[in-house]
Amino acid sequence: MAYHLLQRDRPGAEQLARALTEALTRVRHCAMCNNYTEDEICALCRSPRRDRSLLCVVETPADLGMVEQTAAYSGMYFVLMGRLSPLDGVGPRDIGLEKLLARATAGEVAEVVLATNFTNEGEATAHYVAEMLRGRSVRVSRIARGVPLGGELEYVDAGTLSQALLDRRGM
Amino acid sequence: MAYHLLQRDRPGAEQLARALTEALTRVRHCAMCNNYTEDEICALCRSPRRDRSLLCVVETPADLGMVEQTAAYSGMYFVLMGRLSPLDGVGPRDIGLEKLLARATAGEVAEVVLATNFTNEGEATAHYVAEMLRGRSVRVSRIARGVPLGGELEYVDAGTLSQALLDRRGM
């Protein structure tokens, strides 16, 4: 891309440079949910139509986008902008867990929904947050693990099926 | 395969014919779980180490094999040998639901775990069985739907994520 811009599209390069500089100046983290925004508080956090008693914790802005796409959730969010990963030197302070703790225990939130990934790091992060909130007056829940929609038992891995059996629910 | 046997392996063809005839004579359905067996009652149903208060309903012998592989389940099974599929002319009688009803309400079973697939037919079958057992003195549960192990939110379909949010569980 660098060669293309330098050789064939110098005005484009200038435009890109300006756009990047502008983004660096204007885009920052929302004071409430930590997502990217150009305002102090992002549009989603300002919306009067969201349920303020629910706080969904996700790893990245892309994950927030996925949850929004389901249209099954109308609460608030907190974006960690990462996940606990000791091997990469990412600890609790690097993913804003103090800010999350303050937000979750401020009184408005009744339930924290942990929607981190089901990878090792995502699971570790979920357990860390659950431990952090233990004993506080806030419910902590985790999105369900199990067989995906349209899934056939024959093609599901043993770990997922085992979890689906353990987490079975009454009908 | 037919051409190969006729042209190059006539003794093999004879052997295969004998094996098939023998299988047709000897292999039948277990009187308890409906799985294939050479005995009146299959080895799994005869085992004294299985928990007889749990009855897992699966669509096929292959699904039974998958559940066994998880080593997370030690109860009994009922194999439907199919699923409800009105478009293909498969109704409740074709998948032995009367036999399942008799087995589930005989007194030994405390919980029926529905482990049919999460396809349309599998879900319809699970709901039909749940309705059939409603009001009887037996608990009915369904294996969990959700995000598979190792799954990342970004790559999961909206339907599965939506279900995982609705089915979230306390930590």
Side-chain angles (χ1 to χ4, degrees):
Chain A
M1 189 177 118
Y3 284 129
H4 172 82
L5 287 173
L6 285 171
Q7 184 67 31
R8 294 177 201 276
D9 193 9
R10 299 188 76 95
E14 214 170 306
Q15 216 177 336
L16 184 61
R18 249 182 289 124
L20 273 172
T21 314
E22 204 176 317
L24 283 173
T25 328
R26 287 172 55 179
V27 175
R28 48 178 164 170
H29 292 289
C30 167
M32 281 186 78
C33 73
N34 210 26
N35 199 2
Y36 292 124
T37 177
E38 293 193 7
D39 308 305
E40 170 72 16
I41 307 280
C42 74
L44 203 149
C45 285
R46 285 200 312 265
S47 167
R49 270 174 305 191
R50 313 283 309 192
D51 178 356
R52 284 168 189 275
S53 67
L54 275 175
L55 184 66
C56 181
V57 178
V58 293
E59 294 183 13
T60 64
D63 291 348
L64 185 155
M66 290 302 295
V67 176
E68 278 298 286
Q69 260 182 45
T70 66
Y73 179 78
S74 64
M76 312 297 287
Y77 289 96
F78 188 87
V79 185
L80 297 172
M81 292 289 171
R83 59 205 71 80
L84 286 182
S85 181
L87 288 180
D88 302 317
V90 180
R93 240 165 258 188
D94 304 298
I95 56 173
L97 289 191
E98 285 161 21
K99 203 170 152 187
L100 171 59
L101 179 63
R103 173 90 189 274
T105 54
E108 208 176 35
V109 176
E111 180 179 352
V112 172
V113 182
L114 299 172
T116 53
N117 291 332
F118 284 103
T119 54
N120 289 339
E121 288 88 356
E123 286 279 62
T125 309
H127 278 101
Y128 192 96
V129 174
E131 278 303 313
M132 184 177 83
L133 294 172
R134 186 185 295 275
R136 315 269 173 170
S137 60
V138 62
R139 237 185 0 263
V140 181
S141 63
R142 182 85 168 104
I143 56 169
R145 254 179 311 203
V147 179
L149 239 67
E152 303 191 30
L153 265 61
E154 224 181 313
Y155 307 109
V156 165
D157 64 293
T160 295
L161 189 52
S162 159
Q163 202 59 53
L165 279 160
L166 291 172
D167 283 0
R168 64 182 184 270
R169 36 179 52 232
M171 274 188 85
Chain B
M1 190 177 116
Y3 284 130
H4 172 83
L5 288 173
L6 285 171
Q7 184 69 32
R8 295 178 201 275
D9 192 10
R10 298 189 76 94
E14 214 170 306
Q15 216 178 334
L16 184 60
R18 248 183 289 123
L20 275 171
T21 314
E22 205 177 316
L24 283 173
T25 327
R26 288 172 55 181
V27 175
R28 48 178 164 171
H29 292 287
C30 168
M32 281 187 79
C33 73
N34 210 26
N35 199 2
Y36 292 124
T37 176
E38 293 193 6
D39 308 306
E40 170 72 15
I41 307 280
C42 74
L44 203 149
C45 284
R46 285 200 313 264
S47 167
R49 271 175 304 192
R50 311 283 308 192
D51 178 357
R52 281 166 192 276
S53 67
L54 275 175
L55 184 66
C56 181
V57 178
V58 293
E59 294 183 13
T60 64
D63 292 347
L64 186 155
M66 290 303 295
V67 176
E68 277 299 285
Q69 260 183 43
T70 67
Y73 179 79
S74 65
M76 312 298 286
Y77 290 96
F78 188 87
V79 184
L80 297 172
M81 293 289 172
R83 59 206 70 83
L84 286 183
S85 180
L87 288 180
D88 303 317
V90 179
R93 240 165 256 188
D94 304 299
I95 56 173
L97 289 192
E98 284 160 23
K99 203 171 153 187
L100 171 58
L101 179 63
R103 173 90 188 276
T105 53
E108 208 176 36
V109 175
E111 179 179 352
V112 172
V113 182
L114 299 172
T116 54
N117 290 333
F118 284 105
T119 54
N120 289 341
E121 288 89 355
E123 286 280 61
T125 308
H127 278 101
Y128 192 96
V129 174
E131 278 302 313
M132 183 177 83
L133 294 173
R134 187 185 295 274
R136 315 269 174 170
S137 60
V138 62
R139 235 184 2 260
V140 181
S141 63
R142 181 86 168 104
I143 57 169
R145 254 179 311 201
V147 179
L149 239 68
E152 303 190 30
L153 265 61
E154 222 181 313
Y155 307 110
V156 165
D157 64 292
T160 295
L161 189 51
S162 159
Q163 201 61 51
L165 279 159
L166 290 172
D167 283 1
R168 65 182 183 271
R169 33 180 55 232
M171 275 186 86

